[in-house]
Structure formats: structure tokens, C-alpha cells
Amino acid sequence: SIPRGYRPCEKSYRLLDRRSVLHDNHELNWMRSENWSDLQILTRGHVNQSIMKRRMLIVGAGAIGSLVTEQLMRSGCRHLNLIDGDDLSVGNLVRHTLSLSDVGMPKVSQLATRLNQVSPHAHVSGIVDFFPPKREEHAQIIKSCDVIFDCTGSDTVLHNLYDFAWLGIKVFISLSINLGAQRLYCFIA
């Protein structure tokens, strides 16, 4: 509250600070701080600004999907949506970015939570469902995405991606690995 004799305006606030806090006999308590701006966090490298602004959909939050999502987010992409209906099992841990504490939980929920904790600028959300989603609100989120990554290695998902009622022009990227992880397959359209 403002003491008697001071008006509630910027000039009065400055005068009050000068008399009570910023006078020569008062010691300032300095605090350590860090710059958490997006530019500071990304000083060691990021993708092009036009890519950063795109809304991304990652279909499949398994081995490839978890790695792709993490690298996209850490390289500056901020609007990432994940869709996967599976829970994390112990057998997934050998190739997944999640940990033991996430076993038995939905992959997309746990992955979104973890990645949102990596950067204060991240907007990672998860849809616990298989593609195509059953709920219309989820379909609308998916239709708003500009770039679609298929990280499932599933022919059924590829057919469903083809049949889905997309809005506008999209970039499609399909990534999969063969049995034994000896080859990486990549298709972009």
C-alpha cells in the first residue's frame, strides 16, 4: 500500500523506492539468475525458424517416435502432438527414452510430461489412442498439424494415414527400422 502523501502513480513509486530501498545506507541483496529465453536455450543449435513454428504430429511413441520427438523438441520445435495407444513395457526400455518409473503407463502421456519438463517453452501433448483417433476433438488437433511423422512401422497405420481426411497440404515423413535394427527406412512426401 502507498503511505500517506504519495499518489498511486509511477513517479510516486520511484520516489518511495528511492527513500525506502535504494538509499545509500541500504544494502541490496543480489540474487543469481539465468537467462531462460528461447534464444538462450537454443544457442548451441536449433532448426530453421520456419520449421520451429510448424505444428508436428508424431504417430507412434515407441523407440523411433520417442527419439524423434525428443530431438525435435530439443532443436526448437515447440508444438508437438503425439498419438499412441500403447503402455510402456519392460521390453521397451532397451530402446526407449522413458525409464523404469514409466513402465505400465501410457507412452504418450509419460513422454509428453517428461519433454514438457525439459524446456519451459515446450508444448508437447499426447493423445492416448491409436491412429486414426476415435474422438472428433483429437481428429481436429491432428488435422491442425503441418508435419506428420509416422514412427510406427505399421502398414495399417500407413493405410489409415492415406485414408484420413486431412485439411490442406501436409508434409509426411515415415520412419522405420528393420528387424535387428540394421537398416533405417525413411520416406518423405
Side-chain angles (χ1 to χ4, degrees):
S1 77
I2 300 284
R4 285 180 53 92
Y6 288 94
R7 292 189 175 98
C9 66
E10 189 64 35
K11 184 177 179 183
S12 292
Y13 292 133
R14 278 197 307 273
L15 284 172
L16 185 60
D17 283 346
R18 190 114 180 128
R19 287 189 176 178
S20 61
V21 179
L22 300 174
H23 57 82
D24 292 338
N25 298 335
H26 192 273
E27 185 176 319
L28 291 177
N29 293 325
W30 292 94
M31 299 174 66
R32 292 187 66 60
S33 66
E34 287 186 71
N35 182 352
W36 283 25
S37 77
D38 210 17
L39 295 175
Q40 179 64 28
I41 290 173
L42 298 172
T43 56
R44 294 186 181 243
H46 57 82
V47 294
N48 182 293
Q49 285 287 338
S50 65
I51 295 172
M52 290 168 103
K53 293 177 183 176
R54 299 220 179 179
R55 299 183 68 82
M56 311 269 181
L57 172 69
I58 295 84
V59 181
I64 294 177
S66 65
L67 292 169
V68 166
T69 305
E70 180 146 349
Q71 290 308 309
L72 287 169
M73 193 279 308
R74 288 182 183 271
S75 64
C77 298
R78 295 295 178 239
H79 300 285
L80 302 171
N81 298 287
L82 306 163
I83 182 168
D84 192 314
D86 281 337
D87 293 339
L88 186 72
S89 66
V90 174
N92 299 137
L93 292 176
V94 71
R95 59 188 184 276
H96 208 283
T97 61
L98 293 175
S99 66
L100 274 174
S101 62
D102 302 306
V103 170
M105 305 296 288
K107 291 177 184 177
V108 291
S109 302
Q110 298 305 103
L111 192 57
T113 298
R114 190 174 80 69
L115 292 178
N116 282 319
Q117 293 173 349
V118 170
S119 171
H121 306 288
H123 303 285
V124 182
S125 64
I127 299 170
V128 182
D129 200 352
F130 294 102
F131 189 88
K134 293 168 193 65
R135 296 173 57 184
E136 182 57 31
E137 66 190 69
H138 293 155
Q140 292 305 318
I141 292 168
I142 288 170
K143 288 177 183 181
S144 73
C145 294
D146 306 308
V147 180
I148 292 82
F149 286 86
D150 167 33
C151 298
T152 63
S154 165
D155 290 340
T156 303
V157 171
L158 286 174
H159 292 294
N160 289 334
L161 286 167
Y162 179 77
D163 291 336
F164 192 72
W166 298 101
L167 300 175
I169 297 172
K170 309 293 182 188
V171 175
F172 292 91
I173 302 169
S174 181
L175 300 168
S176 63
I177 55 175
N178 74 331
L179 189 63
Q182 296 173 351
R183 289 195 174 92
L184 171 69
Y185 300 101
C186 179
F187 173 79
I188 300 173

